[in-house]
Amino acid sequence: MAVTVRSFAKINLGLAIGPARPDGFHALETIYQTVAAHDVIRVEAAPGDGIEIRCANPLVPCDETNTCHRVAARLLRHSKQRARLAITIEKNLPVQGGLGAGSSNAVAALFALERELQAPLAAAERLRIAAEVGSDLPLFLLGGTVLGVGRGEQVYALAELPAIACVLVTPPLAVSTAQAFRDWDELMTNAAKGPSLTEVHASVTLSKFSRSAFEWLSYLDVSGVPVEGNGDRAETPLLDLVRAGIENDFERVVFPQYPELRDVKRRLEREGADFASLSGSGSTIYGLFRSRERAMQAARRMSAEGMATTVTETLSRRQYRAQMFVS
Ligand code: C5P
């Protein structure tokens, strides 16, 4: 029996890049938020050996570098099973678009394979496999609103937000995350006027982000409802995002290289987005809107000018889990 799952995308509600670590990765802090837009993954096991990845999108590698292939190989090894696995990826989300699609595909495939092979993993083992394959995988083990620290792979479930309408705009360009991190290092070295101060500068960036995130999250109680007694400051969690100064550091290196991305962000703001930002290292820019109607209207006007837009909404942890399995 095949198993089919939805593989949801994420956006980053702010992302602060800290110092480069001895292992070559950067310390970072970010708030991940899953959204309803998704790919669909189907897995099927048969007697035999081998892992076959099928995807009609030519930008998706179907060899052993595919993130689904990598988790499948690890699951087989861990569970000491032999099987011939076919994993089919129906791609709707952009490739290298900052929405974590490749990471999400891998986690969705992992959940589906555990069911298909009847090989349930302990939570800690699932986390180990996910973190080994990439920094952005573990967030998809939780879903909803998630704090990411370390290199992004240490994840903590945060209080849920109410559903927020979201427009994703994906310009037709792929941004290399590794290159964006290198560009960030160069920017920091210049800003700190010397390598010796770079680390101090980067640490300050992290502590500033955690203050902003704390300020924003303290407006909300555990169920994502604005805390009473905060007056008009807490009217909408969206405006508070802006007030708290939540930002994505990648904008500082990606926007100068691709000015059209900054234009898309400004356009979303002009179209009424309460908060707009680059997601991850891009190229997707998202806008959060007070209502689905406003989001639809903005998307209609922008698509009429040839922009690739998707209207979606934020997905709570409960929804993420309830809607993952199709069959
Ligand atoms: O973990 P992931 O495969 O997503 O990382 C892709 C690349 O991005 C890494 O090889 C590394 O160069 C860079 N990276 C980083 N710091 C992070 C995450 C990723 O420098 N926290």
Side-chain angles (χ1 to χ4, degrees), residues 94-101 169-170 173-175 278-285:
V95 178
Q96 274 205 321
L99 296 177
V169 185
T170 306
L173 54 97
V175 178
L278 187 71
S279 186
S281 59
S283 61
T284 299
I285 309 274

Short mmCIF file of all heavy atoms in Angstrom, two decimals, residues 94-101 169-170 173-175 278-285:
data_model
loop_
_atom_site.label_atom_id
_atom_site.label_comp_id
_atom_site.label_asym_id
_atom_site.label_seq_id
_atom_site.Cartn_x
_atom_site.Cartn_y
_atom_site.Cartn_z
N PRO A 94 8.46 26.36 -5.21
CA PRO A 94 9.69 26.66 -5.95
C PRO A 94 10.90 25.91 -5.39
O PRO A 94 10.98 25.64 -4.19
CB PRO A 94 9.86 28.17 -5.75
CG PRO A 94 9.07 28.49 -4.53
CD PRO A 94 7.94 27.52 -4.47
N VAL A 95 11.82 25.57 -6.30
CA VAL A 95 13.07 24.91 -5.92
C VAL A 95 14.08 26.00 -5.55
O VAL A 95 14.19 27.00 -6.27
CB VAL A 95 13.58 24.04 -7.10
CG1 VAL A 95 14.90 23.38 -6.75
CG2 VAL A 95 12.54 23.00 -7.47
N GLN A 96 14.80 25.84 -4.44
CA GLN A 96 15.74 26.87 -3.94
C GLN A 96 15.05 28.22 -3.80
O GLN A 96 15.58 29.25 -4.18
CB GLN A 96 16.93 27.01 -4.88
CG GLN A 96 18.05 26.02 -4.58
CD GLN A 96 19.40 26.54 -5.06
OE1 GLN A 96 19.51 27.14 -6.12
NE2 GLN A 96 20.44 26.29 -4.28
N GLY A 97 13.84 28.20 -3.25
CA GLY A 97 13.05 29.44 -3.19
C GLY A 97 12.97 30.05 -1.80
O GLY A 97 12.28 31.03 -1.59
N GLY A 98 13.65 29.44 -0.80
CA GLY A 98 13.60 30.00 0.55
C GLY A 98 12.40 29.52 1.35
O GLY A 98 12.17 29.96 2.47
N LEU A 99 11.63 28.58 0.77
CA LEU A 99 10.43 28.07 1.47
C LEU A 99 10.70 26.72 2.14
O LEU A 99 9.78 26.08 2.64
CB LEU A 99 9.26 27.95 0.50
CG LEU A 99 8.77 29.26 -0.12
CD1 LEU A 99 7.66 28.99 -1.13
CD2 LEU A 99 8.26 30.22 0.96
N GLY A 100 11.94 26.27 2.09
CA GLY A 100 12.31 25.01 2.75
C GLY A 100 11.71 23.79 2.09
O GLY A 100 11.59 22.73 2.72
N ALA A 101 11.35 23.89 0.81
CA ALA A 101 10.63 22.80 0.16
C ALA A 101 11.42 21.49 0.15
O ALA A 101 10.87 20.44 0.48
CB ALA A 101 10.24 23.20 -1.27
N VAL A 169 5.38 35.48 -3.24
CA VAL A 169 5.77 35.91 -4.59
C VAL A 169 7.14 35.31 -4.87
O VAL A 169 8.09 35.54 -4.11
CB VAL A 169 5.83 37.45 -4.70
CG1 VAL A 169 6.12 37.87 -6.14
CG2 VAL A 169 4.54 38.08 -4.21
N THR A 170 7.23 34.53 -5.94
CA THR A 170 8.49 33.86 -6.24
C THR A 170 9.04 34.31 -7.58
O THR A 170 8.62 33.82 -8.62
CB THR A 170 8.28 32.33 -6.22
OG1 THR A 170 7.69 31.98 -4.97
CG2 THR A 170 9.61 31.61 -6.36
N LEU A 173 14.22 33.25 -10.00
CA LEU A 173 15.67 33.14 -9.81
C LEU A 173 15.93 32.34 -8.53
O LEU A 173 15.15 32.37 -7.59
CB LEU A 173 16.34 34.52 -9.73
CG LEU A 173 15.83 35.54 -8.72
CD1 LEU A 173 16.69 35.52 -7.49
CD2 LEU A 173 15.89 36.93 -9.34
N ALA A 174 17.04 31.58 -8.55
CA ALA A 174 17.39 30.76 -7.40
C ALA A 174 18.56 31.42 -6.68
O ALA A 174 19.51 31.86 -7.32
CB ALA A 174 17.77 29.35 -7.86
N VAL A 175 18.48 31.54 -5.36
CA VAL A 175 19.56 32.14 -4.58
C VAL A 175 20.29 31.00 -3.86
O VAL A 175 19.65 30.17 -3.21
CB VAL A 175 19.00 33.14 -3.55
CG1 VAL A 175 20.13 33.73 -2.69
CG2 VAL A 175 18.22 34.26 -4.24
N LEU A 278 11.72 38.86 2.92
CA LEU A 278 12.35 37.75 2.22
C LEU A 278 12.19 36.51 3.10
O LEU A 278 12.29 36.61 4.33
CB LEU A 278 13.84 38.07 2.05
CG LEU A 278 14.70 37.14 1.20
CD1 LEU A 278 14.35 37.31 -0.29
CD2 LEU A 278 16.19 37.46 1.40
N SER A 279 11.96 35.34 2.51
CA SER A 279 11.91 34.11 3.29
C SER A 279 13.25 33.39 3.15
O SER A 279 13.71 33.17 2.03
CB SER A 279 10.78 33.20 2.80
OG SER A 279 10.68 32.07 3.66
N GLY A 280 13.87 33.03 4.25
CA GLY A 280 15.18 32.40 4.21
C GLY A 280 16.14 33.27 3.42
O GLY A 280 16.16 34.50 3.57
N SER A 281 16.92 32.65 2.51
CA SER A 281 17.81 33.45 1.67
C SER A 281 17.14 33.78 0.34
O SER A 281 17.78 34.27 -0.59
CB SER A 281 19.13 32.69 1.44
OG SER A 281 18.88 31.45 0.81
N GLY A 282 15.82 33.55 0.24
CA GLY A 282 15.07 33.88 -0.96
C GLY A 282 15.13 32.76 -1.98
O GLY A 282 15.69 31.70 -1.72
N SER A 283 14.53 32.98 -3.15
CA SER A 283 14.08 34.27 -3.66
C SER A 283 12.63 34.62 -3.33
O SER A 283 12.15 35.68 -3.72
CB SER A 283 14.25 34.26 -5.18
OG SER A 283 13.43 33.23 -5.75
N THR A 284 11.92 33.77 -2.59
CA THR A 284 10.52 34.09 -2.29
C THR A 284 10.41 35.25 -1.31
O THR A 284 11.13 35.29 -0.30
CB THR A 284 9.80 32.85 -1.73
OG1 THR A 284 9.84 31.82 -2.71
CG2 THR A 284 8.35 33.18 -1.39
N ILE A 285 9.52 36.17 -1.64
CA ILE A 285 9.15 37.26 -0.73
C ILE A 285 7.71 36.98 -0.32
O ILE A 285 6.90 36.59 -1.17
CB ILE A 285 9.16 38.63 -1.45
CG1 ILE A 285 10.47 38.87 -2.20
CG2 ILE A 285 8.84 39.76 -0.50
CD1 ILE A 285 11.57 39.45 -1.39
#
